[in-house]
Amino acid sequence: DIRLASPKVWAPPVLVEHERERAARGAAMATSDAVAAAGGWRPVPGGGARAAFGRLLSIPFYPVVLPPLVFSRCDATVENTRWWRKVFGALVAGVSVPMHLAVYHGCVVRQGMPVTSWPHLLLHAAWFFCWDHPMAWFLVVSTELLDILSVDHRESRLEAGRLHGPSVLVVGNGPSAVT
C-alpha cells in the first residue's frame, strides 16, 4: 500500500506517517503557545536551583532506600505488600527506637549534655531524616499499594456500566480502555 504524499510525488508510508506526526506536534505546540500567551499554564524547564536543592536533600535517603529497591524480587501481590509493610514497621520499631535511645544515652547520660543541646538535637534530626523519614514513606507507600492491589480488576467498570458519576473522562487511548 503506497500512499501519495502529494499528487505528484510519492513517498513510502513511513514518511507519510512521520509527516502526520510532525503536523500533530506542530498543532499541539501552537495550542500550548496560545494557552501560554493567554496567561494559562506554561511548562517550567527542569534542572533549576530548587531541583538541585531537592536532590541534595535526598542523598541521605539512598542507603536506606536502595536495598529494598535493589533486592526485592517479588510479584506485586496483596500478600507480598502486606509482608513488606510488616518488615518496614518492624524496622522502624526495631531499629529506630533503640537508635534514638542510644543517642539520648550517649549525649545526655554519658556526656552530660542538656536535652536541648544542639549536638543532641542534631543527632536525633539526622537519624530522623536518614532512617525514620524514609521508613515512614515506605509504610505510607506500602499501605497505598495495598489499597491499589486489593481492588478487583476482573472486569472493567467502563464495560460493566458501573461508573461513578454522570460524566466520565477516559484519559489516554480510549479504545484500549474497553478492549
Side-chain angles (χ1 to χ4, degrees), residues 166-178:
S167 301
V168 175
L169 172 67
V170 177
V171 179
N173 189 2
S176 67
V178 292

Side-chain angles (χ1 to χ4, degrees), residues 9 14 54 59 64-65 76 79 83 93 121 130 157 160-161 172:
V9 181
V14 173
I59 289 173
V64 175
V65 173
E79 294 79 25
W83 185 85
L121 295 177
C130 291
R157 286 190 297 131

Side-chain angles (χ1 to χ4, degrees), residues 14-179:
V14 173
L15 292 178
V16 174
E17 290 300 318
H18 287 303
E19 289 299 320
R20 287 184 187 146
E21 289 174 11
R22 187 178 303 136
R25 277 196 308 269
M29 290 302 292
T31 304
S32 68
D33 290 342
V35 169
W41 178 84
R42 182 174 306 172
V44 177
R50 186 175 176 190
F53 182 68
R55 287 188 191 108
L56 181 70
L57 287 179
S58 70
I59 289 173
F61 292 167
Y62 295 151
V64 175
V65 173
L66 285 179
L69 294 177
V70 172
F71 298 115
S72 99
R73 298 281 180 242
C74 58
D75 294 331
T77 63
V78 174
E79 294 79 25
N80 289 338
T81 306
R82 283 190 183 122
W83 185 85
W84 276 106
R85 191 172 61 172
K86 288 177 188 175
V87 167
F88 295 138
L91 286 172
V92 167
V95 175
S96 184
V97 172
M99 194 63 187
H100 281 290
L101 289 174
V103 167
Y104 173 80
H105 182 76
C107 290
V108 176
V109 176
R110 292 182 75 197
Q111 294 188 5
M113 293 181 187
V115 175
T116 58
S117 67
W118 283 107
H120 178 233
L121 295 177
L122 285 176
L123 284 172
H124 278 292
W127 185 256
F128 173 79
F129 283 113
C130 291
W131 183 265
D132 295 342
H133 194 248
M135 284 295 155
W137 278 108
F138 272 142
L139 284 169
V140 168
V141 168
S142 63
T143 301
E144 291 298 319
L145 187 60
L146 188 63
D147 290 341
I148 292 168
L149 292 176
S150 62
V151 172
D152 184 20
H153 294 287
R154 284 181 278 175
E155 70 173 356
S156 169
R157 286 190 297 131
L158 191 59
E159 288 178 338
R162 294 184 294 116
L163 303 175
H164 301 295
S167 301
V168 175
L169 172 67
V170 177
V171 179
N173 189 2
S176 67
V178 292
T179 57

